[in-house]
Amino acid sequence: MTLDTVKHAGETPDVAQPWAELGLKRDEYERIREILGRRPTGAELAMYSVMWSEHCSYKSSKVHLKQFGEKVPENDAMLVGIGENAGVVDVGQGYAVTFKVESHNHPSYIEPYQGAATGVGGIVRDILAMGARPVAVVDPLRFGAADHPDTKRVLPGVVAGIGGYGNCLGLPNIGGEVVFDSCYQGNPLVNAGCIGVMKHEDIHLAKASGPGNKVILYGARTGGDGIGGVSVLASETFDDTKPTKRPAVQVGDPFQEKLLIECTLEIFREDLVAGIQDLGGAGLSCATSELASAGTGGMRVELDTVPLRDSSLSPEEILMSESQERMCAIVEPGKVGRFLEICEKWDVIATVIGEVTDGERLEIFWHGEQIVDVPPRTVAHEGPVYHRPFERPEWQDALQADDAGRLPRPGTSAELREQVLKLVAHPNQASKSWITDQYDRFVQGNTVLAQPEDSGMIRIDEETNLGVAMATDGNGRYAKLDPYAGAQLALAESYRNVAASGAKPLAISNCLNFGSPEDPAVMWQFAEATRGLADGCLALGTPVTGGNVSLYNQTGDVAIHPTPVVAVLGVIDDVNRRTPIAFAQEGQLLYLLGDTREEFGGSAWSEVVHNHLGGLPPAVDLDREKLLGEILIAASRDGMIDAAHDLSDGGLIQAVVESCLRGGHGARLIVPEALDAFTFLFSESAGRAVVSVPRSEELRFTDMCGARGLPATRIGVVDGDEIDVQGEFAIALGELREAHEATIPGLLV
């Protein structure tokens, strides 16, 4: 086969090319020809196809995502925002924290272990590329029905991949969620987040500037695994008639990544790079085009110098490969020698593959023949922009009219007791310790809170005890009922979780998981959710620092519930003042903060007892969420509370059960006069938390709540070895523990 050079492409305009097989639309292919003034070479076609994929270009979502840059709240903490590998915020004392959440959904369904493992590896390199040391990871997960046979294949593989990769890196896994729903049966959601810490002066950006500076590829050799990878897998729906694309899933090597991390951090310490980019989705196509596009000139690359694991790879395959554990650095000529020395010390392969030029083109050569000559911005940043049609689906009104409040309620105390046990034993409310115990949550010794706490928390300075907290949340059932409110409820819950632990929320990242953008109903869900999230962030003062969009999460014409996952990062000046969820002291008073209403749409109760989804989700009051957060933070800081737990899925009873089991103490609960026992226990009204207050602090705490206008209702006391809802029923902690902890092992072991 004759090598398809730039010259040859210009001389043979009518050669048929496999643009459709590479995922391009006809008008996109014609646009490429228009940009180049000729047909693309095979290598150019490969680059455009992966970089213009949905996963890399955000072509269907960017018109809505721009709201995150337009509706920016005032926030002095923001140091680096949207557009870089990850956002960066100032947390005080000269420290900066970078964090981000991304998806690895489709690869994790095809090959659960490697799909999940390389999801962790990829997000860690994003954080590393900002100049930070990765210090913790989180993993929000969604699977199909817990009792479905395929869940037994996917879930253990995903969990093993996350644990295997993260544990080998020595990174504690401090948070996330696990949710089961049949809508995720063919499209599990494997979202991965990472937190990194650095000093302000250590921030690095992805740009290639300075003509004559060298382009160095370092890390693992490039192989045939991951060709097309996530850039292709995540850009179309699954279809049983198509091949599984198993070879497109990347293969990870956490030990190589650990060497890469330490090598890169030493390179940063010696100030040896002018720009840096990790190789993730779209591999070298992405790294070279994005670095050149963000710089001030062009770039020339000698592709045949790339170290390979497979010598038979074609230039197109090398450019498309998403082999893991690779980075690309821009280095001044005088610093190349020292850069290579450090790489050799860490046993990391490093190769000069090109240099920055004073031109405006990305030029790639293969054994002396030019195979790529493109304007880099057209590859990296000027891809297609789709204004997809969107329309509120016809079925939305009927879904919202099917009010969960009309469902049959328990008629006796015995029935109420039975439904509590059924709730806490349901896979979504049951203990996830079988999963989280496979992750090392305390490696490095700086974890102060981890699952099943409201948020994970890491100490980042051992002298001052400065720390950061992170929570991720998202309720697809709420978002199905109302995408705008559902996105705000996800934001509010994550915000509340961080505040409940005593940390001040600063900023957010997100991972927006939806079905096919070619479906107007799905695009309406996406448009509403992004609008809701942008409005919510503006109201709470938490800017969006970056994130990820995952579309085409559907099998055939069946889409997942719209699932915007929101990660909130907060700061706490002394981790010793953190607030856990455990009721650990007998005699302490229990207070319910916030208003409880009859709100059961999308609730855990409606799902567990009636297998029902309908009505409206709980109302959102962001001013109340902000006030509640301020009260929780102040109470934690000033020693007024010893425990706090936000109220969300499952309502008050779920939170009380978790806090009692965590602390090993029971509780006596009194139903407030204004509520019936059912609403008191199961309502999922937002903007609420339950706290335990030492008797010596009761007056100070209630005075603070009263002065600030936050309802605070005394509902009981920490006491005994059972949960006693007075006048209704009592359940021993032993019976609750058995119901709560036996479910997941029973389904998966």
Side-chain angles (χ1 to χ4, degrees):
M1 183 180 84
T2 304
L3 184 67
D4 195 2
T5 63
V6 170
K7 181 180 178 182
H8 181 250
E11 295 171 346
T12 55
D14 299 326
V15 169
Q17 295 187 280
W19 50 267
E21 292 86 338
L22 291 172
L24 291 166
K25 307 296 185 186
R26 177 176 289 278
D27 60 333
E28 293 172 346
Y29 175 67
E30 293 301 330
R31 173 62 182 147
I32 294 167
R33 294 184 66 122
E34 182 182 331
I35 289 169
L36 299 177
R38 54 174 170 77
R39 73 165 179 85
T41 67
E44 291 167 340
L45 186 64
M47 292 184 72
Y48 278 106
S49 71
V50 290
M51 289 301 293
W52 284 14
S53 67
E54 194 69 64
H55 183 80
C56 294
S57 74
Y58 294 84
K59 57 189 175 185
S60 297
S61 58
K62 62 175 64 173
V63 295
H64 301 286
L65 297 177
K66 66 182 181 181
Q67 295 174 83
F68 297 148
E70 295 169 348
K71 302 175 182 178
V72 181
E74 291 185 16
N75 189 310
D76 295 335
M78 179 84 85
L79 297 175
V80 176
I82 297 169
E84 288 292 334
N85 283 305
V88 182
V89 293
D90 177 11
V91 296
Q93 299 179 26
Y95 284 102
V97 168
T98 178
F99 71 111
K100 190 180 182 182
V101 181
E102 285 204 335
S103 63
H104 233 229
N105 302 340
H106 291 67
S108 298
Y109 180 67
I110 291 171
E111 179 50 66
Y113 184 96
Q114 293 295 352
T118 54
V120 174
I123 194 67
V124 166
R125 289 194 306 280
D126 274 339
I127 296 305
L128 178 66
M130 296 305 299
R133 173 177 286 280
V135 295
V137 294
V138 299
D139 281 282
L141 308 174
R142 306 290 187 279
F143 298 102
D147 58 355
H148 192 284
D150 199 44
T151 302
K152 269 195 168 185
R153 172 187 72 90
V154 177
L155 186 150
V158 165
V159 170
I162 292 168
Y165 205 100
N167 293 351
C168 289
L169 290 182
L171 293 176
N173 191 312
I174 62 169
E177 326 109 70
V178 180
V179 175
F180 299 91
D181 193 294
S182 58
C183 76
Y184 305 112
Q185 200 63 62
N187 288 267
L189 304 184
V190 178
N191 295 173
C194 185
I195 303 168
V197 177
M198 60 193 147
K199 291 290 190 174
H200 289 196
E201 60 269 21
D202 294 332
I203 297 172
H204 285 75
L205 303 178
K207 61 179 181 179
S209 299
N213 285 349
K214 302 303 180 183
V215 181
I216 301 180
L217 178 65
Y218 69 109
R221 293 178 181 272
T222 300
D225 60 300
I227 291 178
V230 70
S231 56
V232 172
L233 287 178
S235 300
E236 61 177 39
T237 60
F238 280 129
D239 186 331
D240 291 339
T241 65
K242 294 178 181 177
T244 63
K245 296 185 178 178
R246 191 175 298 269
V249 178
Q250 307 95 323
V251 176
D253 180 350
F255 300 105
Q256 176 71 56
E257 179 121 336
K258 178 61 174 172
L259 293 174
L260 186 65
I261 291 171
E262 299 304 330
C263 175
T264 301
L265 291 172
E266 183 168 345
I267 285 166
F268 288 155
R269 283 194 296 271
E270 297 199 18
D271 192 26
L272 299 179
V273 299
I276 193 164
Q277 173 75 297
D278 77 297
L279 271 70
L284 267 171
S285 294
C286 177
T288 54
S289 62
E290 287 197 349
L291 282 165
S293 179
T296 56
M299 182 184 292
R300 176 188 174 109
V301 173
E302 305 291 342
L303 195 63
D304 49 284
T305 61
V306 172
L308 303 177
R309 291 203 306 268
D310 178 354
S311 61
S312 70
L313 292 180
S314 68
E316 294 86 351
E317 291 172 326
I318 296 170
L319 287 167
M320 294 176 74
S321 172
E322 295 178 11
S323 291
Q324 296 292 286
E325 293 90 36
R326 298 180 298 162
M327 304 281 284
C328 197
I330 307 301
V331 182
E332 295 174 8
K335 296 181 178 181
V336 169
R338 180 57 183 152
F339 185 102
L340 297 178
E341 284 178 8
I342 293 174
C343 289
E344 184 176 6
K345 167 188 169 181
W346 288 101
D347 198 22
V348 170
I349 298 170
T351 307
V352 177
I353 65 167
E355 68 177 26
V356 178
T357 67
D358 59 2
E360 298 179 348
R361 313 284 286 188
L362 171 59
E363 301 174 279
I364 299 178
F365 293 78
W366 178 258
H367 295 295
E369 300 282 349
Q370 187 171 21
I371 59 172
V372 171
D373 181 12
V374 298
R377 286 200 63 82
T378 66
V379 179
H381 296 116
E382 295 175 358
V385 178
Y386 287 156
H387 294 261
R388 300 274 193 191
F390 59 92
E391 183 178 6
R392 192 175 194 269
E394 295 179 359
W395 44 260
Q396 196 74 37
D397 287 340
L399 180 69
Q400 293 183 345
D402 187 12
D403 184 9
R406 294 198 294 263
L407 295 170
R409 301 183 179 187
T412 66
S413 295
E415 195 175 353
L416 193 63
R417 182 185 193 277
E418 177 188 349
Q419 291 187 5
V420 168
L421 283 169
K422 191 172 183 181
L423 178 83
V424 301
H426 186 272
N428 284 340
Q429 279 69 53
S431 168
K432 306 304 188 300
S433 60
W434 183 89
I435 294 168
T436 57
D437 284 353
Q438 298 183 50
Y439 308 148
D440 192 333
R441 288 166 279 173
F442 301 101
V443 65
Q444 295 188 22
N446 284 314
T447 302
V448 291
L449 290 176
Q451 307 100 331
E453 299 288 342
D454 275 346
S455 67
M457 187 179 290
I458 290 284
R459 177 179 56 192
I460 64 174
D461 188 289
E462 296 181 13
E463 292 184 3
T464 65
N465 287 316
L466 177 70
V468 293
M470 188 173 183
T472 65
D473 288 290
N475 188 316
R477 288 168 57 82
Y478 288 168
K480 179 72 177 284
L481 298 178
D482 183 338
Y484 181 91
Q488 293 196 339
L489 285 163
L491 168 65
E493 184 182 353
S494 197
Y495 184 98
R496 196 161 61 242
N497 276 321
V498 167
S501 69
K504 178 185 177 182
L506 286 183
I508 83 157
S509 180
N510 60 65
C511 196
L512 307 177
N513 306 275
F514 290 78
S516 170
E518 297 170 45
D519 180 343
V522 169
M523 277 310 297
W524 175 80
Q525 292 173 333
F526 184 85
E528 285 293 285
T530 51
R531 186 171 68 89
L533 189 54
D535 289 346
C537 286
L538 191 59
L540 289 178
T542 51
V544 178
T545 64
N548 179 240
V549 175
S550 176
L551 301 176
Y552 291 102
N553 290 289
Q554 68 182 62
T555 303
D557 59 356
V558 180
I560 64 166
H561 292 335
T563 311
V565 171
V566 179
V568 171
L569 182 97
V571 63
I572 184 168
D573 60 3
D574 185 351
V575 298
N576 291 320
R577 291 203 289 264
R578 66 192 179 275
T579 306
I581 68 169
F583 297 159
Q585 295 294 324
E586 291 251 348
Q588 291 199 345
L589 304 173
L590 297 179
Y591 271 83
L592 173 60
L593 307 181
D595 294 302
T596 302
R597 296 174 289 270
E598 291 205 8
E599 295 182 292
F600 300 99
S603 68
W605 174 81
S606 69
E607 177 185 27
V608 172
V609 176
H610 295 288
N611 192 28
H612 177 272
L613 178 59
L616 291 172
V620 185
D621 183 341
L622 295 174
D623 288 336
R624 169 59 61 81
E625 294 286 357
K626 201 168 185 178
L627 174 61
L628 175 64
E630 291 169 355
I631 294 288
L632 289 169
I633 295 164
S636 172
R637 181 189 62 234
D638 296 339
M640 297 184 209
I641 58 177
D642 276 2
H645 200 348
D646 88 300
L647 269 57
S648 53
D649 303 351
L652 173 76
I653 191 59
Q654 178 70 23
V656 169
V657 166
E658 291 173 353
S659 292
C660 285
L661 292 179
R662 185 74 167 159
H665 294 278
R668 285 184 283 118
L669 301 178
I670 301 170
V671 180
E673 290 185 5
L675 297 172
D676 63 273
F678 169 75
T679 304
F680 173 62
L681 295 176
F682 291 116
S683 167
E684 293 188 8
S685 294
R688 299 186 301 157
V690 61
V691 297
S692 69
V693 182
R695 290 179 182 271
S696 61
E697 299 297 329
E698 182 181 18
L699 183 60
R700 193 159 67 115
F701 178 73
T702 54
D703 281 352
M704 178 178 67
C705 293
R708 300 294 303 277
L710 179 70
T713 306
R714 183 169 163 177
I715 60 167
V717 63
V718 178
D719 181 57
D721 58 2
E722 63 182 10
I723 293 179
D724 179 5
V725 182
Q726 297 196 327
E728 296 292 345
F729 62 83
I731 310 176
L733 290 188
E735 186 177 0
L736 284 165
R737 192 177 300 279
E738 182 178 354
H740 190 55
E741 295 180 358
T743 302
I744 302 299
L747 288 165
L748 298 172
V749 175

